[in-house]
Amino acid sequence: MKLLKLLLLSIATALSLWLTSYLYQEGLLTDYWESRDALWDPRLKIYRCLDTNGQIDPQDRQPPCSVMTIAGQRFGERRITNCVAKGGAEQACAREAWEWVKAMRPENRANIHEKPRGSISERTQ
């Protein structure tokens, strides 16, 4: 009986390690967006996004400074593939998939369930 429990425990451990590794490789355990810092440009009087090396982003983006990760790209591609396999039009599937991934940006998710709080005078009553 102890041997059977030990065998089942080792099989369960191996399966959980395999599943965790698979989910990580597919990008399901990582964020789809990465936030970047911004720097004030006094000459242009705007904030400009920085890249991973701390230099001005070559795409000259302005805040919010979010960049899609490889996991986000893979998720969008998987979503397109699944939609097309179910019989959807490729362009419609692509548009829907990328809109969904873009909706997962940190600045979009932060405001999803936020309710308007009203004015300060309404709270003091």
Side-chain angles (χ1 to χ4, degrees):
M1 193 64 151
K2 273 188 168 183
L3 186 60
L4 182 61
K5 286 182 183 179
L6 187 61
L7 181 64
L8 290 176
L9 181 64
S10 63
I11 290 172
T13 303
L15 284 175
S16 65
L17 289 173
W18 175 82
L19 180 63
T20 304
S21 171
Y22 174 76
L23 291 174
Y24 183 77
Q25 289 174 356
E26 289 295 316
L28 299 174
L29 297 179
T30 58
D31 289 331
Y32 299 144
W33 293 91
E34 179 180 303
S35 294
R36 301 274 173 87
D37 291 330
L39 183 68
W40 176 254
D41 188 349
R43 186 174 49 90
L44 298 175
K45 296 184 178 15
I46 59 172
Y47 280 96
R48 297 178 69 185
C49 295
L50 302 177
D51 63 7
T52 55
N53 300 323
Q55 304 296 318
I56 300 291
D57 191 347
Q59 296 177 355
D60 201 30
R61 290 180 295 120
Q62 295 180 22
C65 303
S66 297
V67 180
M68 187 184 304
T69 61
I70 294 174
Q73 293 172 359
R74 286 182 187 163
F75 180 79
E77 292 166 0
R78 276 195 312 272
R79 200 164 166 106
I80 292 169
T81 304
N82 291 341
C83 180
V84 170
K86 291 178 182 177
E90 188 170 348
Q91 288 183 341
C93 289
R95 185 178 58 252
E96 186 269 333
W98 295 122
E99 284 176 2
W100 194 93
V101 173
K102 287 177 185 173
M104 296 302 293
R105 291 175 75 168
E107 55 270 8
N108 293 346
R109 285 189 303 184
N111 300 328
I112 288 176
H113 301 294
E114 195 170 304
K115 295 178 183 174
R117 296 189 174 108
S119 67
I120 293 173
S121 61
E122 290 174 355
R123 287 194 220 161
T124 57
Q125 293 177 357

